């Protein structure tokens, strides 16, 4: 981080020096300007240097490095995820994305229903993970779903299952 800023600052300073020399008509002109006794010129020069240096050399790289980057992965279309939900998103990618489409997890599976359209609340997701779905379940079975196919139960358990459920519920569920 600091190293990157210093690296950028180095090139900015170098560019400014070259720019200054060029604008002042070569090395001789640059020296003449630096040695000029005009206060106005020196003040203006210092001002420009400080503004450009701080603006481009420090503020912009620092903002880019520091700014949204660390938080970008915790936000989806303005929805802020808790660390448990981020964990859920990761698990979703590993365990559910092959069969389900869910934009917030970049998942495009086509075996099961599209969760962006189904909009399952977290409770339904958890229930489905725990029990799975079978196409022709016995009456009152917890494995009854939409009748579109089979989904294995218990792919995940415990906190993992809860994290996935709260992630899906948050990004897609209509609650
Ligand atoms: C092997 C493919 C497959 C995997 C992996 C899979 N699913 Fe499914 N899922 C399905 C199918 C097929 C259905 C539709 C079942 C039906 O309609 O009877 C379904 C249905 C669902 C439903 C809707 C249930 C309902 O009652 O409407 C939810 C929610 C769901 N899955 C969530 C998940 C989550 C979360 C994971 C990851 C832990 C996951 N699925 C992993 C195939 C899969």
């Amino acid at each position: 981080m600091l190293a990157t800023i210093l690296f950028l600052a180095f090139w900015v300073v170098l560019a400014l020096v070259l720019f200054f020399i060029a604008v002042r008509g070569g090395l001789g002109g640059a020296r003449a300007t630096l040695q000029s006794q005009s206060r106005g010129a020196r003040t203006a020069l210092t001002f420009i240097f400080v503004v450009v240096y701080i603006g481009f050399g420090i503020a912009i790289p620092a903002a880019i490095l520091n700014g949204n980057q660390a938080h970008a992965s915790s936000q989806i279309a303005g929805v802020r995820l808790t660390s448990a939900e981020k964990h859920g998103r990761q698990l979703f990618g590993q365990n559910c994305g092959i069969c389900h489409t869910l934009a917030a997890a970049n998942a495009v599976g086509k075996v099961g229903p599209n969760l962006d359209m189904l909009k399952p609340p977290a409770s339904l997701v958890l229930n489905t993970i725990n029990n799975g779905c079978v196409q022709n379940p016995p009456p009152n079975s917890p494995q009854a779903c939409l009748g579109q196919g089979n989904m294995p139960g218990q792919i995940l358990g415990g906190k993992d299952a809860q994290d996935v459920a709260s992630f899906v519920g948050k990004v897609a569920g209509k609650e």
Side-chain angles (χ1 to χ4, degrees):
M1 164 83 187
L2 189 65
T4 318
I5 290 183
L6 289 177
F7 176 80
L8 286 171
F10 169 78
W11 289 105
V12 168
V13 171
L14 187 69
L16 283 172
V17 169
L18 290 176
F19 178 73
F20 176 70
I21 291 172
V23 165
R24 288 294 150 181
L27 275 177
R31 210 174 290 127
T33 309
L34 280 179
Q35 286 162 358
S36 93
Q37 294 304 303
S38 147
R39 266 188 79 201
R42 266 182 290 139
T43 313
L45 213 74
T46 313
F47 179 74
I48 292 172
F49 182 79
V50 167
V51 167
V52 174
Y53 183 79
I54 293 181
F56 290 94
I58 297 176
I60 294 178
I64 292 172
L65 290 169
N66 230 353
N68 216 14
Q69 208 177 44
H71 305 293
S73 66
S74 63
Q75 284 190 12
I76 291 159
V79 178
R80 185 167 272 280
L81 300 180
T82 65
S83 63
E85 287 156 358
K86 274 191 271 180
H87 182 229
R89 177 176 57 185
Q90 188 191 346
L91 291 170
F92 188 96
Q94 291 160 358
N95 297 282
C96 321
I98 36 163
C99 290
H100 288 284
T101 292
L102 180 64
N106 290 331
V108 292
K110 296 272 183 278
V111 179
N114 178 330
L115 298 182
D116 291 316
M117 286 158 78
L118 188 68
K119 302 192 196 309
S123 55
L124 175 65
V125 179
L126 188 58
N127 200 40
T128 311
I129 297 174
N130 286 334
N131 299 305
C133 307
V134 291
Q135 204 157 13
N136 296 303
N140 298 324
S141 159
Q143 293 186 302
C145 284
L146 307 163
Q148 296 172 0
N150 295 326
M151 170 172 155
Q154 323 253 307
I155 303 175
L156 296 168
K159 183 170 185 306
D160 287 349
Q162 278 169 15
D163 288 354
V164 171
S166 48
F167 164 67
V168 176
K170 185 139 177 195
V171 297
K174 53 181 172 215
E175 299 283 353

